Amino acid sequence: MNRFKTSKFKNTTPKIAKKDGWINNVRAGSFSCQGNHIKASSNFVAFNTEQAGGGMLGLTSVKPGSDGQWTVTQISCHSDLVTDMDFSPFDGSLLATCSGDETVKLWSLCDPELQQPSSPELTLCPGQGRLELVLFHPTSSGLLAVGASKSPMIWDTNRQDTPLAVLEQHGDQLQSLSWKRDGSLLASSCKDKMLRVFDPRAQTTPVQSAKSLQNSKDSRILWAKDDFLLTTGFDMMRSREARLWDSRNLSSSVSSVSLGTASGEVERACDAVKV
């Protein structure tokens, strides 16, 4: 089996902050969805909560207040579960959320010690049913990738009526999306075990695709460097694994590593944490 090269950081260990550096009063939610349960920018940390059926987000600042403590507040975002969230790479206070209520909303956040906005800056209504994923474009401040059950869409926030592009419908539940760092390509993973790479500027069908994943459960995809993609998921033995792919040839992985966790432990972990 191919292995990743040994990292120069292999012997490093994380340093856990002292308790006076912990953010307390965090009551995170445990709802099942395809998106992120927690997201951070240079200014804020946003996370799911159990309040209002999952329609509210918890919010705190990255840095403590003048008294050395962190204020944790909540913001009512949607009438149904918040399924994903993402901060703008151009504005650490601009948060995009999507939901089971079939909408995408943009929020201009303020300091957690102040009252948060009661209404969003913008609401998009794609009309594709429950929305699972939302992702800011890395180089264009007005673009969003939005994932419905089976259909990825590209939206320009300056054109609220219709999407710029509706990409080819997937064969099953869309599980993750990732932009290439220069924003030229969009990759997806799906419950149908397919990996797809799109060039939304040129066509709505994939420029590369292959049935590459070994298991349909809980896959995630991330654009790593240059033309390489990193996926996590399960192998045929239901053990958690990570694979490295060349986006120009998805028929076989460049390298793979089994994380060696018993399937039962992985399943319990994945029910509570999304990679």
Side-chain angles (χ1 to χ4, degrees), residues 28 45 52 55 66-67 80 84 95-96 127 163 188 192:
V45 178
S66 57
D67 60 356
D80 203 335
D84 197 13
L95 178 69
S188 70
D192 64 7

Side-chain angles (χ1 to χ4, degrees), residues 4 138 177-183 185-187 197 220-232 242-247 250 254-255:
F4 292 117
L177 294 170
S178 180
W179 285 107
K180 192 175 182 180
R181 293 185 180 184
D182 63 5
L185 300 173
L186 180 69
V197 175
R220 296 293 181 267
I221 192 165
L222 178 68
W223 215 291
K225 183 180 179 182
D226 300 327
D227 294 309
F228 292 100
L229 292 162
L230 181 68
T231 63
T232 62
R243 287 180 176 267
L244 188 67
W245 308 83
D246 187 332
S247 62
L250 297 176
V254 175
S255 185

Side-chain angles (χ1 to χ4, degrees), residues 154-175:
I154 311 299
W155 282 83
D156 182 349
T157 56
N158 294 316
R159 289 177 47 185
Q160 303 178 34
D161 51 347
T162 57
L164 287 178
V166 178
L167 305 181
E168 181 180 76
Q169 183 166 301
H170 290 44
D172 208 321
Q173 175 67 60
L174 182 63
Q175 293 180 324

